Amino acid sequence: AFSDEGFPGRVLEKYKEVPFIELPELYQRLADVVVVDARSKFEFDTLRIKGAINIPVVYDYFERDIKILRNKTSKPIVFYCNGHTCMKSYIATKKAMAVGVQDVYAYDAGVFEWARAYPDKASLLGKSPVRAKDIISKKKLKARMLDPDSFSDKATRNPSSVSIIDIRDKYQRAAVGFFPGLEKWSSLNDMRELYQKIKLAKRHHKTLYIYDEVGKQVRWLQYALEQLGVKKYYFMEKGAMGYYKMISHGSKTTTLN
């Protein structure tokens, strides 16, 4: 068995009743369980466990749909997300248990470890098996990250040569963005519209500056940007929350090492 070290969900008090399943065991039992991706549809469409179904845990009707699923099958239900520090698999399992759905588990090593270990049982942008070289590394993602202060400075220095896009959803955005008059808003929930904005910026040789809520959703958008051949793009480190923190402190931020 794996050590619990590095798997915070296993030791957090609020998830102590949530049963978990480890990587090798899930692989061995794959044909005998129902695998549910608890992430957003956009993440699911990008990289997923082959054969999984998508029921986002943030979805308003999550509990209803899990009960419907249970009525259709008596197989164990296994929830997964991005792994380790992503708690959606635990949240989903706990929510299912709370409405009386039994024989449910959290697979907490996540989709990245799964894809690396069992590439033939994973799908990346609709293709399987997944090639390790096609999985975008943390280093490649970090190379596109700017701290909020640098992002703001570079994005507003020459407005005619840039395109700023806020990709938060309507609940996260709530009001206007940080760059009124300069930015466009296009949620990940409407990828067709977002793709149009990206392609337009590319056509006019503009540098894209894109931010989300906490700097995590952009990792999935990076696959689309690379696939579209976009060369000039940057993300805001820690997203809108990082920007809020910067302006509330009234001081410049520094890029994390």
Side-chain angles (χ1 to χ4, degrees):
F2 291 173
S3 167
D4 289 350
E5 186 178 350
F7 292 89
R10 300 183 186 183
V11 295
L12 287 174
E13 181 67 21
K14 62 181 175 180
Y15 299 129
K16 66 178 182 179
E17 303 300 328
V18 174
F20 60 86
I21 184 171
E22 295 179 342
L23 180 69
E25 185 183 358
L26 177 58
Y27 179 73
Q28 292 165 7
R29 299 178 60 187
L30 194 59
D32 302 314
V33 303
V34 177
V35 180
V36 177
D37 190 318
R39 305 170 303 154
S40 70
K41 183 180 184 301
F42 182 68
E43 291 168 292
F44 175 77
D45 288 343
T46 304
L47 177 66
R48 64 175 178 264
I49 294 177
K50 203 171 181 180
I53 61 175
N54 183 216
I55 307 179
V57 71
V58 297
Y59 180 45
D60 289 342
Y61 301 105
F62 173 81
E63 288 90 343
R64 181 202 68 183
D65 286 359
I66 290 302
K67 287 196 285 186
I68 291 172
L69 177 62
R70 170 50 76 222
N71 288 334
K72 291 179 178 178
T73 180
S74 60
K75 290 183 177 182
I77 298 173
V78 179
F79 297 98
Y80 77 89
C81 54
N82 290 325
H84 291 257
T85 59
C86 176
M87 294 294 104
K88 288 180 180 177
S89 62
Y90 279 91
I91 295 169
T93 308
K94 188 173 181 178
K95 279 190 171 187
M97 294 168 67
V99 293
V101 178
Q102 300 180 342
D103 206 10
V104 290
Y105 304 86
Y107 160 60
D108 55 1
V111 70
F112 288 102
E113 285 198 15
W114 177 271
R116 291 187 178 98
Y118 311 113
D120 59 320
K121 297 297 183 182
S123 174
L124 175 62
L125 298 172
K127 295 180 180 179
S128 182
V130 173
R131 298 183 301 178
K133 69 176 185 176
D134 291 334
I135 297 177
I136 296 177
S137 67
K138 289 182 179 178
K139 182 179 180 180
K140 192 169 182 178
L141 174 63
K142 189 174 181 179
R144 298 290 182 169
M145 288 286 183
L146 298 173
D147 66 81
D149 189 64
S150 296
F151 183 101
S152 178
D153 179 54
K154 292 178 183 295
T156 58
R157 189 180 297 169
N158 188 1
S160 64
S161 66
V162 307
S163 180
I164 308 171
I165 306 177
D166 176 356
I167 63 169
R168 292 175 295 169
D169 64 38
K170 62 182 180 181
Y171 301 108
Q172 294 170 332
R173 184 177 168 88
V176 296
F178 299 123
F179 310 98
L182 297 177
E183 72 177 27
K184 301 176 179 67
W185 175 57
S186 194
S187 168
L188 288 177
N189 294 322
D190 188 351
M191 286 306 298
R192 181 178 298 179
E193 180 185 319
L194 181 54
Y195 272 42
Q196 288 176 346
K197 288 182 172 64
I198 291 170
K199 289 176 180 178
L200 184 63
K202 182 187 175 188
R203 192 178 309 132
H204 292 285
H205 307 288
K206 293 187 176 184
T207 302
L208 280 160
Y209 290 89
I210 303 170
Y211 69 96
D212 60 12
E213 181 71 355
V214 295
K216 291 188 175 181
Q217 288 176 302
V218 290
R219 71 187 299 183
W220 301 105
L221 184 59
Q222 189 171 17
Y223 283 95
L225 292 166
E226 291 290 325
Q227 190 178 47
L228 291 169
V230 178
K231 302 297 183 185
K232 300 187 293 183
Y233 67 89
Y234 294 97
F235 304 130
M236 187 189 293
E237 189 176 57
K238 298 188 177 179
M241 296 307 294
Y243 192 92
Y244 278 126
K245 187 175 181 180
M246 178 191 76
I247 59 178
S248 66
H249 287 178
S251 61
K252 291 183 179 292
T253 58
T254 55
T255 304
L256 297 176
N257 292 324

